[in-house]
Amino acid sequence: MSTALITGASRGLGVVTARRLAAQGWTVLAGCREPGRLADTLDPALDIRPVTLDVADDASVAAAVKEVEDQVGSLDVLVNNAAIVGEMVEPAEAGADVLREAYETNVFGPVRVTRAFLPLLRRAERPRLVMVSSSLGSLADMSDWRWENHPYLAYPSSKAALNMISVMYARTMTDVLVTVVNPGFTATDLNDHQGTQTVEEGTDAIVAAALDTTSPSGRFVERDGLVPW
């Protein structure tokens, strides 16, 4: 039996990833702040287990570790998916508080969750860490100004920070396969459903990374291949 924990799994990319992995026979721990809302929408034929998890709260993460350990004992995959857009403030106007809100979920959250769940991951034969990022965090892509419609500071810089954290994990945690994923411009609540991809398409790279046990660690990928850092 393969096991996965997905953060931010109450909607959007998180819940669809949970359903797709569970459909392949996995046990999926669906981390969300309000698990009761998720439980009402689940297919009883799928082994998806809601877990109370607020990635911005130390006590919540610690309690979730105990709950997951009691239920499954170990994790094959951890998907750090939870994220917020934060305030859309242009760089010259953005103060530290604007960044702090986005960073608490998008940067400190994955660090907090990864550190707490790493012992459970390391009990697996081939542990995988999947970091859901964005091409908005690609220095190469943003230097070419591909995303003129998002000239704000908090979200892109938080994803760039997440990318560097992921690179450092990959370089230093050689027993864990670390993959950074760009879902693509997907229609979710995060962007008021303005994306050009379906949520199913947006989860393709996440699911592929969760299933992958042989690729090199430390890659930045999307549905169609590698993403430049």
Side-chain angles (χ1 to χ4, degrees), residues 41-116:
T41 67
L42 295 179
D43 181 344
L46 300 178
D47 191 4
I48 300 176
R49 308 178 188 185
V51 174
T52 302
L53 177 56
D54 181 350
V55 303
D57 183 274
D58 288 323
S60 175
V61 172
V65 171
K66 185 177 187 307
E67 183 175 351
V68 171
E69 183 173 26
D70 289 345
Q71 288 202 39
V72 296
S74 65
L75 286 173
D76 294 286
V77 176
L78 169 60
V79 180
N80 279 306
N81 166 71
I84 63 171
V85 171
E87 291 188 61
M88 292 188 179
V89 178
E90 293 190 10
E93 303 299 324
D97 287 345
V98 169
L99 270 67
R100 188 173 292 115
E101 180 189 19
Y103 276 52
E104 189 61 54
T105 297
N106 301 356
V107 181
F108 307 144
V111 170
R112 183 179 288 114
V113 170
T114 299
R115 182 171 182 265

Side-chain angles (χ1 to χ4, degrees), residues 7-12 14-15 19 30-34 37-38 41:
T7 67
S10 63
R11 59 184 180 176
V15 71
R19 289 171 181 157
C32 44
R33 287 181 294 180
E34 298 180 50
R37 294 174 58 187
L38 174 62
T41 67

Side-chain angles (χ1 to χ4, degrees), residues 182-215:
N182 169 40
F185 192 31
T186 302
T188 66
D189 291 348
L190 200 68
N191 56 35
D192 294 325
H193 298 273
Q194 298 177 55
T196 55
Q197 291 185 154
T198 67
V199 182
E200 186 85 7
E201 290 170 331
T203 59
D204 283 349
I206 304 174
V207 171
L211 296 174
D212 185 7
T213 61
T214 60
S215 292

Side-chain angles (χ1 to χ4, degrees), residues 129-152:
L129 175 62
V130 180
M131 305 292 250
V132 181
S133 185
S134 169
S135 58
L136 291 172
S138 164
L139 298 183
D141 280 356
M142 292 300 279
S143 294
D144 288 339
W145 206 229
R146 284 181 54 192
W147 295 97
E148 300 94 332
N149 61 338
H150 197 100
Y152 308 113

